[in-house]
Amino acid sequence: MVQFDIKRFGRLARWSLTNDKGYYLRQFLQLLAMGTLAFVFFGTNEFHPTSSDGYALSGNYEACCVIVIMTLFGSAIIGPSMMFYSMKGKHDRQALMMLPASNFEKYLMRYANWIIQLPVIMAAFLCADLVQYVVASSLGMKDVAFVMEYVNNVRHDIFPPLAENRLLVMLFISLLSMHSFYALGATFFRNRKYAWVLTTLAVIALSIVQAKVLPSLNYSLVYDNPSKISNTFVVLTDVFYGAWAVLNFWLSYKLFCRTQVKGKFVNV
C-alpha cells in the first residue's frame, strides 16, 4: 500500500472529523465556560471596584491575556500527547486500525488533532471575550475593551527581544523538540488519558539530568546581549535539538504502528 494518498487521506480526515465532532464540541463548551468566567471576573473586578470619581475601574485585561496565550502555547506544546483523547475506548482504536488507510496517514490524522483544536480554542475565547465586553459595558466599567485587542498589543512583549534571527531559530527548534517529545509520549504510554502527565514528569526528570550534566546557559544574554552568544553554540544547539525532534517523531510513528501489541504500561 502506498504510504500516503491525498484522496484516501481526505476520506480518513472526513471520517475522523465526523466521529470526533462531539469531542470538539465538548471542548469548545468547556473552554467557553472557563474563559467566560475568567474574563468576566478579571474584566469586571480589580479589587478596587470604583474610582474616586465614582466610575468603575477598567478590568485586569493583562491577566486575561496571560490565560489566552498560555492556553494556546500549552496546546501547541503538549497537544500531540492528546491525539487519542477523542477515542472513548479500545473499540475506537480498533476501528481506527481497521480503516482502509496506511498507518502513516492514520498517524498524521491523529497528530493533526492538536492543530484542529487551535481554531476551537480561539473560537471559544472570542465568544467569551464578547460576553465579557457586554457584561462590563452593562456594569458601567471604565475603558471597556476586548481581551483580544490586548493580546494583539502585548504579543511582542511576551517573548524576549531576540535581536538576531539565529536565536529565534534556536528557540523555535528547542520548542519543537519538546513538542515532538510529547508526540512520542502519546504513543509510548498506553494510558491515553494521562499520557501528557507522564510525559511532563519525564520532561522534568530529563531537565534535571541535563542541568546536572551539561553546562548552564546564561539566559540573560538572550535578553541583554544576544550577540555575545557564539555562532558555534547556536549551530550545535540547533543540530542537537533538531535531530532529537526528528528522532522523537520517528519513534512516535513506529510505536503508533505497534499499538495493537498488548502491554501493561508502555507500548513496546
Side-chain angles (χ1 to χ4, degrees):
M1 176 184 290
V2 178
Q3 287 297 307
F4 186 83
D5 180 85
I6 188 63
K7 293 183 179 180
R8 190 172 59 206
F9 182 75
R11 292 193 294 268
L12 174 63
R14 287 194 296 272
W15 179 88
S16 298
L17 293 174
T18 300
N19 284 271
D20 295 346
K21 62 182 180 181
Y23 166 75
Y24 294 127
L25 179 60
R26 289 193 302 272
Q27 186 183 48
F28 171 81
L29 294 176
Q30 290 171 356
L31 288 171
L32 175 61
M34 293 186 293
T36 300
L37 290 175
F39 289 0
V40 169
F41 175 78
F42 287 111
T44 59
N45 181 9
E46 210 174 10
F47 305 106
H48 296 287
T50 58
S51 60
S52 59
D53 56 3
Y55 288 98
L57 295 171
S58 60
N60 189 356
Y61 293 108
E62 289 77 8
C64 299
C65 290
V66 172
I67 294 174
V68 173
I69 293 173
M70 292 304 296
T71 302
L72 291 172
F73 181 78
S75 179
I77 296 297
I78 72 174
S81 64
M82 301 179 182
M83 62 173 68
F84 298 105
Y85 261 45
S86 59
M87 296 184 173
K88 299 180 180 179
K90 65 178 182 179
H91 297 293
D92 285 348
R93 293 196 294 271
Q94 290 174 351
L96 175 65
M97 291 303 167
M98 294 176 63
L99 290 174
S102 67
N103 285 332
F104 182 66
E105 292 166 342
K106 296 172 186 176
Y107 176 79
L108 283 181
M109 193 62 231
R110 287 292 94 197
Y111 169 77
N113 182 60
W114 75 270
I115 302 176
I116 301 173
Q117 290 179 11
L118 293 180
V120 174
I121 295 173
M122 285 302 303
F125 281 143
L126 286 172
C127 292
D129 193 14
L130 180 60
V131 172
Q132 75 81 22
Y133 186 89
V134 172
V135 172
S137 299
S138 63
L139 293 177
M141 299 294 294
K142 186 179 180 180
D143 299 329
V144 178
F146 287 104
V147 174
M148 294 306 167
E149 293 181 6
Y150 276 72
V151 172
N152 184 60
N153 292 334
V154 304
R155 59 190 174 92
H156 295 294
D157 300 328
I158 298 300
F159 299 100
L162 299 175
E164 301 183 23
N165 291 332
R166 62 195 181 107
L167 297 182
L168 184 60
V169 173
M170 184 180 71
L171 177 63
F172 173 78
I173 295 179
S174 299
L175 294 176
L176 178 63
S177 66
M178 184 174 294
H179 173 90
S180 67
F181 194 73
Y182 277 96
L184 175 60
T187 55
F188 178 75
F189 295 108
R190 296 188 64 84
N191 191 324
R192 307 304 191 190
K193 185 176 181 180
Y194 297 105
W196 71 272
V197 177
L198 298 173
T199 306
T200 301
L201 295 176
V203 169
I204 295 174
L206 289 176
S207 299
I208 295 175
V209 172
Q210 179 180 347
K212 295 293 184 180
V213 175
L214 298 178
S216 60
L217 170 65
N218 185 2
Y219 287 98
S220 63
L221 293 177
V222 177
Y223 290 86
D224 301 329
N225 298 298
S227 60
K228 290 185 178 181
I229 300 179
S230 65
N231 289 326
T232 302
F233 176 82
V234 173
V235 171
L236 290 178
T237 301
D238 291 346
V239 171
F240 173 76
Y241 284 109
W244 189 17
V246 172
L247 177 63
N248 285 339
F249 280 122
W250 181 78
L251 290 175
S252 177
Y253 169 67
K254 289 298 182 181
L255 291 175
F256 175 82
C257 296
R258 293 170 56 86
T259 52
Q260 69 272 19
V261 178
K262 294 181 179 181
K264 294 183 179 180
F265 185 70
V266 296
N267 185 40
V268 293

